[in-house]
Amino acid sequence: MIAVRGLEKSFVQPGGELVPALCGVDLSMAAGEFLTVIGTNGSGKSTLLNALAGGFPPDAGTIEIDGKDVTRSPEHRRAALIGRVFQDPYKGSCPSMTVAENLRMAELRGTRRGLRLGLNAETRTRYRDRLARLRMRVENRLDALMGTLSGGQRQAITLIMATLRRPALLLLDEHTAALDPRAAERVLLVTREVVQEDGLTTMMVTHSMEEALELGERTIMMHRGAVMADLSGEERRATRVSDLLERFAGLRHTIEYTIQHRAPPPA
């Protein structure tokens, strides 16, 4: 269960202007739900993910993950609860470590660990089995340096790294946007399979409206830090990309009016 209530965040720009990034976001997700997030650049999509991950403290509001209030918990305190895959396929892993070492470090994330990684035969067999589900011929490359793999292979392995410990929340931040079409298609297929088979609660930001409607069972649209629409069930199944574009154009003005006329906070 994920519960976000009244989430607010503003950032100071170089000129000193205070720009709102999240404007009273209320959002809840049931365990095992796969939610996609779309919106224009600067709409607050990635800011919402960063807030959930603990990248910064919110100005107001609360965040609850798996029954725990993590609103003021720093990122490293949430590591055991959250798995994350970034847009950049070279960001979520260490290129100078082997595939097996990267997997082991990911599995130990958020736990106490000594100087030894504990890469025994049983662990390596388990990793090989997990990688085989990718069907990208990387299960026999446990001793290869991550830096020698293609971007698509690294991103797929990073997805496995993020889900080894079955996180309470999986965050996918446009994780196929930097890949070529063939690699992106493969990673999306793996994403669908892993999330479904492991029953993971997942939030995926995407710039593609087609992906947003195809994956998961719920879609939210954001604009200027606010949730414009929340689609699920029959309404979402009947929605087409053209409908989203029309809805976006129509609701944008309502959201802008609401933000501009929001009552100022008490002194």
Side-chain angles (χ1 to χ4, degrees):
M1 174 71 178
I2 311 299
V4 175
R5 301 183 182 91
L7 205 61
E8 305 256 354
K9 184 64 182 181
S10 295
F11 295 102
V12 179
Q13 298 301 302
E17 180 185 6
L18 192 65
V19 177
L22 295 175
C23 303
V25 173
D26 291 313
L27 183 67
S28 63
M29 294 176 62
E33 186 172 37
F34 189 168
L35 180 146
T36 58
V37 186
I38 54 175
T40 57
N41 291 336
S43 63
K45 306 184 302 296
S46 292
T47 304
L48 176 59
L49 261 65
N50 287 330
L52 288 167
F56 52 76
D59 298 332
T62 60
I63 301 171
E64 186 176 299
I65 299 176
D66 200 24
K68 302 177 180 65
D69 187 337
V70 299
T71 309
R72 299 299 164 187
S73 298
E75 193 167 5
H76 70 276
R77 295 287 184 185
R78 306 185 199 186
L81 296 172
I82 292 175
R84 188 171 186 180
V85 184
F86 297 90
Q87 178 177 335
D88 186 347
Y90 302 102
K91 190 173 182 179
S93 58
C94 178
S96 61
M97 296 175 64
T98 67
V99 171
E101 289 168 342
N102 272 277
L103 287 164
R104 187 58 176 161
M105 288 293 290
E107 191 169 29
L108 295 175
R109 183 181 60 244
T111 67
R112 288 190 173 186
R113 55 179 183 265
L115 297 176
R116 303 178 67 89
L117 291 179
L119 276 169
N120 54 34
E122 183 277 330
T123 300
R124 292 173 64 88
T125 298
R126 182 159 47 84
Y127 291 167
R128 192 173 291 111
D129 291 342
R130 291 283 291 185
L131 293 178
R133 71 196 299 185
L134 299 177
R135 298 189 293 281
M136 298 178 74
R137 296 180 292 184
V138 292
E139 61 269 23
N140 294 320
R141 301 194 64 184
L142 287 176
D143 295 318
L145 296 179
M146 282 289 285
T148 65
L149 304 182
S150 70
Q153 289 173 326
R154 284 186 69 164
Q155 197 70 317
I157 292 173
T158 302
L159 177 63
I160 296 299
M161 291 167 57
T163 59
L164 272 174
R165 299 189 63 210
R166 297 176 63 88
L169 176 62
L170 175 63
L171 300 175
L172 306 174
D173 194 356
E174 297 196 54
H175 68 308
T176 63
L179 304 178
D180 65 70
R182 185 174 181 179
E185 183 179 4
R186 180 70 233 161
V187 171
L188 280 177
L189 179 59
V190 171
T191 298
R192 188 200 304 269
E193 292 176 351
V194 169
V195 169
Q196 183 174 349
E197 291 173 13
D198 294 348
L200 299 175
T201 306
T202 304
M203 181 180 291
M204 185 184 87
V205 166
T206 178
H207 65 284
S208 168
M209 292 188 181
E210 290 87 352
E211 289 179 7
L213 293 174
E214 180 183 354
L215 293 170
E217 58 269 353
R218 182 179 168 199
T219 297
I220 64 171
M221 297 178 66
M222 295 190 68
H223 179 65
R224 293 196 175 184
V227 175
M228 295 176 62
D230 190 336
L231 308 174
S232 61
E234 186 56 40
E235 181 183 19
R236 183 178 184 266
R237 287 190 290 272
T239 299
R240 300 293 179 264
V241 170
S242 58
D243 300 323
L244 290 182
L245 292 171
E246 183 177 351
R247 182 184 288 263
F248 182 86
L251 292 178
R252 179 178 56 194
H253 304 294
T254 302
I255 293 297
E256 288 176 348
Y257 181 89
T258 300
I259 293 173
Q260 291 169 4
H261 293 77
R262 182 187 296 273

